[in-house]
Amino acid sequence: MGVALAEKRRLEADIHLVDAKEQVERTLRGEIRSPVVASFFDEPTFTATHVAHDPVTKKAAIVDSVMDFDQAAGRTSFEGAERIIDYVRAEGLTVEWLLETHAHADHLSAAPFLQEKLGGRIAIGEKIRTVQEFFGKIFNEGTNFACDGSQFDRLFLDGDRFELGALSAIALHVPGHTPADMAYVIGDAAFVGDTMFMSDYGTARADFPGGDAHQLYKSIRRLMALPEQTRVFLCHDYKAPNRDHYVWETTVGAERTGNVHVHEGVDEAAFVAMRTARDQTLGMPRLILPSIQVNMRAGHLPEPEANGTRYLKLPLNLL
């Protein structure tokens, strides 16, 4: 059996993918409602936060929020999150979920701040435990730091279903960028985190601890097996060469045919060779050390020390 045929049969046998495809198809046929999505772009971290809601019940989810962080001053603020709060209140939305696609290495999550102001449950994939175990040792967190994911309100397994008002949603495990990446398919909209980017920019790196280019390829192929009209919302955009504006929404069909790294016809070996070579040229993300410490805590800052001040660690010569 050829590699491509084996991959096709593997995807056809993926019951959770089948469920997600059926959900999208029912939405496209008008049998269930499509979510309204508003996006908020944070240019300092090139991050798109998405607010999806049921247009009838007004129940909402906020995906991949951003805390403002002045690294040089060690100062946090929430101007970007306040814009989201203003939108939610102006639209009369009720936040049910604060979804994280993974423990981001390039921005700090504002989920606890938004939860305090708007409510909702903070959720991530259950493989966050793997990330916590690794980075708990890197930052010498000791036994007081729980590596069981208990900082989050919900840990999703692959294929877990949840509701957004009357809208159906399903969580898909899409590892490769990190071991804990999740995509959330809500109606006909897929929120894919860092798994892939706009078709003219390509795909995410796979060289973080627990990352794997082979897994990333399979995860992308899994997402590309959704119906071609599926709306795809990305977590980042960096302006591809010859493009002077930011974009964070595409479709499965556009990714299948046009993604410069992994369009149809690119096999796994070619992708892994490209991704591995490209990753070797990349530096560490500017905010990785503060981001991981906060995001593995579900966006909470470390506990104050004896003097009442919170500190973020900077491990030297370790990563």
Side-chain angles (χ1 to χ4, degrees), residues 22 37 72-73 88 270 308-309:
E22 180 183 1
V37 181
V88 166
T309 301

Side-chain angles (χ1 to χ4, degrees), residues 189-253:
F191 301 88
V192 302
D194 290 8
T195 305
M196 54 188 175
F197 299 137
M198 291 300 297
S199 59
D200 58 358
Y201 197 88
T203 57
R205 64 195 298 166
D207 61 336
F208 292 149
D212 183 277
H214 291 278
Q215 284 190 330
L216 182 60
Y217 180 86
K218 290 180 172 64
S219 293
I220 292 171
R221 286 285 174 249
R222 192 183 196 200
L223 293 171
M224 286 185 175
L226 292 169
E228 66 178 14
Q229 303 99 318
T230 305
R231 295 183 289 162
V232 176
F233 293 89
L234 313 171
C235 187
H236 295 288
D237 187 55
Y238 303 97
K239 289 185 184 174
N242 303 316
R243 175 159 56 83
D244 62 2
H245 59 286
Y246 295 107
V247 189
W248 45 80
E249 180 180 354
T250 182
T251 65
V252 164

Side-chain angles (χ1 to χ4, degrees), residues 68-131:
D68 298 291
F69 181 60
D70 182 341
Q71 186 172 22
R75 194 172 300 278
T76 61
S77 59
F78 295 96
E79 288 87 351
E82 291 283 5
R83 288 194 297 133
I84 294 171
I85 292 170
D86 290 344
Y87 169 80
V88 166
R89 290 176 174 166
E91 295 295 317
L93 307 182
T94 300
V95 174
E96 293 194 326
W97 294 100
L98 298 152
L99 302 174
E100 301 287 347
T101 55
H102 62 295
H104 306 273
D106 41 27
H107 70 269
L108 287 64
S109 172
F113 177 78
L114 291 169
Q115 184 180 53
E116 179 184 352
K117 301 292 184 180
L118 300 173
R121 302 171 68 191
I122 303 174
I124 201 168
E126 57 93 17
K127 294 295 184 182
I128 187 63
R129 300 185 185 106
T130 302
V131 176

